[in-house]
Amino acid sequence: MEKVKRENKYGLKLSNFIMLIIAGAINAVGVTLLLAPLNLYDSGISGLSMFIDMILPFETSMLWLFLIVLNFPIFLFGLKMQGVAFTIYSIFAITMYSLFAALYQNILPLFITFTEGESIIAGGEIILCAVFGGGLSGVGSGMTIRYGGALDGIEQLAVIFAKRLNLTVGNFVMIFNVILYIVIGAYFQSFILPLYSIVAYFVASKAVDFISQGIDQAKGALIITNHYDEVAAALSSEFGRGLTVLDAKGYYSNTHKSVIYCVVNRFQVAKLRNIIAATDKRAFVTIMEIADVFGTSVKYSRADDKKRRKKLKEQKAEHKAEIKAERLQKREEQISINEFLTDGNKK
């Protein structure tokens, strides 16, 4: 039992390592079999490694070596900030990427004839190589992020230094890539290939977002309504999850209101609108993008929700009965007072 605990001390999963091997293989296909043959460049440290590999006079590609030499120190430098598990996953992913890059560039040509200046997948079609090379590179990077690591040290540097430079992580990475492509263009005295590389970078960034966040992206909804009980009950019954009700106050009306906050996926937004429209047409709703969701949320079964709604109705009925009883008592007291005053006037 102790041995199992030691092996899983940092929360590492075997399934994640398997997916990181696949991610490294996919990323290497995009970079070495689509981008590199046409002198297109990946982004970040990977692109820098490709540039160094191209300008140094080696008989065989040493891209795999530069990927390791440039990336490993960066992730070890950020070990304290990002944690042991992230660092282990990242170094493993880069190792897999480097091994597959060496396999595709140095061993595969021993069995398959490569035409210089062409891709064995897309030939000399530069647009196809830029789009699909960037896409596969993004898929590999996105899978690595999804399973706990990172394939490029530039994002690690961005996390560490962006705030100190008053930049966002995205802007830091973009500035690095722009500088890299300008240097490449100036060195070769041509900006045609760097411009195509920007196309590859754009496609890769979209692929990273799609793979790391998934198609089932979350949406957050804030619902301001005067009928929060009915709206909350309808939403909870339909989506089978708990909601958060916040107290609020209207600035101009100076009235107290209730705000319902809930999280749904993109396919549930239309249903959310229909439910709110059917329950409270005057409700004010804002829907926002959510980058990520983690933690727990109370979920109800249909039976539990029916019980909850039944209890809510009973509480409302009791409340109405109490109000009715109070009104009746006040009316009886008023009648008694009036009768007392009438008798006094007669005397």
Side-chain angles (χ1 to χ4, degrees):
M1 191 72 178
E2 291 181 3
K3 186 178 180 181
V4 174
K5 287 184 178 179
R6 286 176 187 173
E7 289 176 352
N8 204 27
K9 181 180 178 181
Y10 302 110
L12 302 174
K13 297 179 181 179
L14 177 62
S15 59
N16 284 23
F17 285 107
I18 294 172
M19 296 307 296
L20 292 175
I21 293 172
I22 297 172
I26 293 173
N27 198 85
V29 169
V31 172
T32 62
L33 299 183
L34 285 164
L35 297 179
L38 276 74
N39 296 331
L40 298 175
Y41 297 89
D42 198 10
S43 61
I45 301 299
S46 180
L48 178 61
S49 299
M50 294 172 72
F51 176 56
I52 295 173
D53 182 52
M54 185 158 296
I55 63 176
L56 293 181
F58 292 111
E59 293 183 3
T60 59
S61 176
M62 300 297 289
L63 174 62
W64 63 272
L65 178 62
F66 297 122
L67 289 170
I68 292 174
V69 169
L70 295 178
N71 276 303
F72 273 33
I74 295 173
F75 284 106
L76 291 175
F77 176 68
L79 173 62
K80 187 175 181 180
M81 179 178 291
Q82 296 297 337
V84 175
F86 174 84
T87 303
I88 292 174
Y89 281 141
S90 298
I91 291 177
F92 179 80
I94 293 165
T95 302
M96 292 300 102
Y97 173 27
S98 303
L99 288 176
F100 281 108
L103 173 66
Y104 298 152
Q105 288 188 316
N106 300 330
I107 298 176
L108 196 60
L110 299 176
F111 304 96
I112 299 176
T113 302
F114 279 64
T115 303
E116 188 175 352
E118 290 188 2
S119 165
I120 63 169
I121 298 175
E125 297 292 336
I126 193 167
I127 287 293
L128 290 179
C129 289
V131 172
F132 286 97
L136 289 175
S137 173
V139 168
S141 297
M143 286 179 65
T144 306
I145 293 171
R146 194 175 184 89
Y147 291 99
L151 260 182
D152 200 284
I154 187 60
E155 294 179 357
Q156 176 84 331
L157 291 177
V159 170
I160 296 172
F161 294 110
K163 285 187 178 180
R164 301 179 187 180
L165 299 173
N166 198 26
L167 296 170
T168 64
V169 171
N171 287 339
F172 185 97
V173 174
M174 183 183 67
I175 290 171
F176 177 90
N177 289 325
V178 169
I179 294 173
L180 174 63
Y181 295 142
I182 289 174
V183 170
I184 293 171
Y187 182 85
F188 291 108
Q189 297 182 349
S190 174
F191 287 93
I192 295 176
L193 293 178
L195 288 174
Y196 279 113
S197 298
I198 292 175
V199 174
Y201 166 57
F202 176 78
V203 175
S205 65
K206 294 299 179 183
V208 168
D209 292 339
F210 181 80
I211 296 298
S212 61
Q213 297 177 12
I215 192 171
D216 192 24
Q217 291 183 1
K219 305 279 187 179
L222 285 172
I223 307 158
I224 303 175
T225 173
N226 293 323
H227 305 283
Y228 79 91
D229 284 336
E230 293 86 347
V231 174
L235 292 175
S236 180
S237 176
E238 180 62 36
F239 300 126
R241 62 168 62 95
L243 307 166
T244 301
V245 179
L246 309 172
D247 290 327
K249 184 178 180 181
Y251 176 72
Y252 287 105
S253 64
N254 197 34
T255 58
H256 289 280
K257 296 180 179 292
S258 294
V259 179
I260 300 171
Y261 177 72
C262 67
V263 176
V264 297
N265 64 47
R266 64 169 65 183
F267 301 113
Q268 294 173 328
V269 172
K271 191 174 288 186
L272 176 82
R273 288 174 177 167
N274 293 336
I275 292 171
I276 296 171
T279 312
D280 183 8
K281 292 183 179 180
R282 301 188 66 182
F284 180 78
V285 183
T286 60
I287 297 175
M288 64 205 83
E289 295 283 349
I290 295 179
D292 200 359
V293 177
F294 56 91
T296 58
S297 174
V298 178
K299 295 184 178 180
Y300 300 100
S301 65
R302 297 288 183 181
D304 291 338
D305 196 68
K306 284 182 180 179
K307 290 179 182 178
R308 193 176 63 84
R309 294 181 70 177
K310 184 179 179 181
K311 187 176 180 180
L312 184 63
K313 286 183 180 179
E314 290 174 353
Q315 290 175 347
K316 282 186 176 181
E318 290 176 1
H319 183 61
K320 286 181 180 180
E322 289 175 358
I323 293 174
K324 189 175 181 179
E326 287 178 2
R327 288 177 179 175
L328 184 61
Q329 185 178 356
K330 286 181 180 180
R331 187 179 298 174
E332 290 176 351
E333 290 176 353
Q334 187 64 43
I335 291 172
S336 299
I337 292 170
N338 291 339
E339 289 177 351
F340 176 78
L341 292 174
T342 302
D343 292 341
N345 290 333
K346 285 180 180 181
K347 292 178 180 180

